[in-house]
Structure formats: structure tokens, C-alpha cells
Amino acid sequence: MADFTVLRLSEAALVWADGPLSGALSHQLNTTLQNLLDEGASPLVIDLAQVSALDSGAVEALAEAAEDAGHIDLALHLCLPGHRRAVVKDSVELRHAIGQVHPCTV
């Protein structure tokens, strides 16, 4: 099971995960992202470059956060495997970005 770490620097936040992101961590990830958005964290960077797999619960938590970010005129800044980057403001953009590197999860 993967773990994730949250780092704060002033208003910015970085959520970094390593390994497969699934199951039990999905609820914790959802709560963490919602709290960061409620606090107005910007930029909110989610580093998934070392995540080997995501399950549907993790994708749903990320998609919900992307929707919520868009509603308050913020975005999620994704760092993905293969040196890919994406800035997303809704679940469609999030699922598209994730699908480019983890096609079986979206």
C-alpha cells in the first residue's frame, strides 16, 4: 500500500504519493484534499510520479477534488509518471490526464 505526505509552504501545498494508491487511503486522500481546498491552498500540487497504480476510489477522490477546485477558481497541478504535467479544474480533465498514464483506472 502506498502512503502519501502533505507539505505546506505558505499558501502552497504538495501532496506526494509513492507506490500503488488504493483502498484504505482513498478516504484519507479525499479528506486531505478537501481540507486543503477549504484552506485555499494554492497552488495545490499532487505528485503522482512515483505512483505505480491507482484504484477507482483514488481516482474518484482526485476527481472530486478537481471539481471542487474548479468551483472555487483553483486547479490541481498534477505531476505524473513519465515527466508529464497537467493542470486540471474538473473531473473530465483529471480523468483524461490520469488515463494517459494509468489507462485501466479511468
Side-chain angles (χ1 to χ4, degrees):
M1 176 170 28
D3 197 5
F4 64 90
T5 302
V6 178
L7 301 172
R8 292 296 304 260
L9 180 60
S10 190
E11 294 177 10
L14 168 68
V15 178
W16 178 79
D18 182 16
L21 191 55
S22 62
L25 287 180
S26 296
H27 177 71
Q28 185 180 355
L29 178 62
N30 183 50
T31 300
T32 298
L33 294 173
Q34 294 308 312
N35 288 342
L36 290 168
L37 289 168
D38 289 346
E39 294 168 6
S42 181
L44 177 48
V45 178
I46 303 172
D47 187 342
L48 303 173
Q50 299 302 313
V51 171
S52 56
L54 292 123
D55 75 356
S56 61
V59 172
E60 189 57 38
L62 292 165
E64 184 177 329
E67 285 290 331
D68 292 345
H71 290 298
I72 57 174
D73 203 29
L74 294 176
L76 303 183
H77 298 257
L78 304 177
C79 299
L80 300 164
H83 304 287
R84 293 177 185 250
R85 304 279 187 266
V87 177
V88 300
K89 289 188 171 193
D90 63 38
S91 61
V92 173
E93 292 175 348
L94 180 282
R95 291 177 193 283
H96 177 75
I98 296 291
Q100 298 295 308
V101 293
H102 295 288
C104 296
T105 59
V106 291

